Amino acid sequence: MDARRSVVVVDDLRSFVDGRNAEVARTSAAGVELLSRYQDGRLDELWLDHDLGGDDTIWPVVEILERAAFEKRPLDIGVIKVHSANPSGAAKIVQVLRHWGYRVHVASGSTEVGYLDAP
């Protein structure tokens, strides 16, 4: 992978199994903070998990993306990959983000992300 590519993963437990470079947010608040860094820049890939532990979910991050698109200044993201194991949550994320014109792929079951610290 090109070291200049910008990749963000928002997932409470998983990371890239091949060790590729990515910024990782383990909570929705950390995900919102990371996205704020890309407000005026390019993000090549954004990987989203739905359930982020306890009562935390990806929705605060999705709301940032929605609001930006609603205000006619969507974030410049090459592709959003939804890798959640929660089928209904993943479907809702995909539906919402596609509605706002983001390029979204379902990556549930992807072998690219995994649990690095096995229980």
Side-chain angles (χ1 to χ4, degrees), residues 45-60:
E45 294 179 22
L46 175 60
W47 289 70
L48 302 177
D49 182 23
H50 183 275
D51 301 305
L52 300 175
D55 293 332
D56 195 13
T57 69
I58 200 64
W59 287 104

Side-chain angles (χ1 to χ4, degrees), residues 6-85:
S6 54
V7 179
V8 168
V9 177
V10 185
D11 190 308
D12 59 325
L13 298 171
R14 293 173 285 188
S15 295
F16 287 116
V17 295
D18 63 5
R20 75 182 79 161
N21 287 333
E23 295 179 87
V24 179
R26 298 295 183 197
T27 65
S28 61
V32 166
E33 195 277 323
L34 261 178
L35 279 187
S36 71
R37 298 182 200 170
Y38 292 95
Q39 188 64 44
D40 297 316
R42 167 80 173 173
L43 180 56
D44 295 302
E45 294 179 22
L46 175 60
W47 289 70
L48 302 177
D49 182 23
H50 183 275
D51 301 305
L52 300 175
D55 293 332
D56 195 13
T57 69
I58 200 64
W59 287 104
V61 173
V62 173
E63 289 169 2
I64 293 295
L65 297 167
E66 280 186 289
R67 185 175 315 121
F70 176 78
E71 294 172 353
K72 307 283 191 241
R73 44 182 193 83
L75 274 72
D76 182 9
I77 302 173
V79 64
I80 298 171
K81 296 188 179 188
V82 180
H83 65 275
S84 179

Side-chain angles (χ1 to χ4, degrees), residues 78-97:
V79 64
I80 298 171
K81 296 188 179 188
V82 180
H83 65 275
S84 179
N86 176 332
S88 62
K92 289 176 188 174
I93 295 166
V94 170
Q95 179 183 19
V96 166
L97 294 178

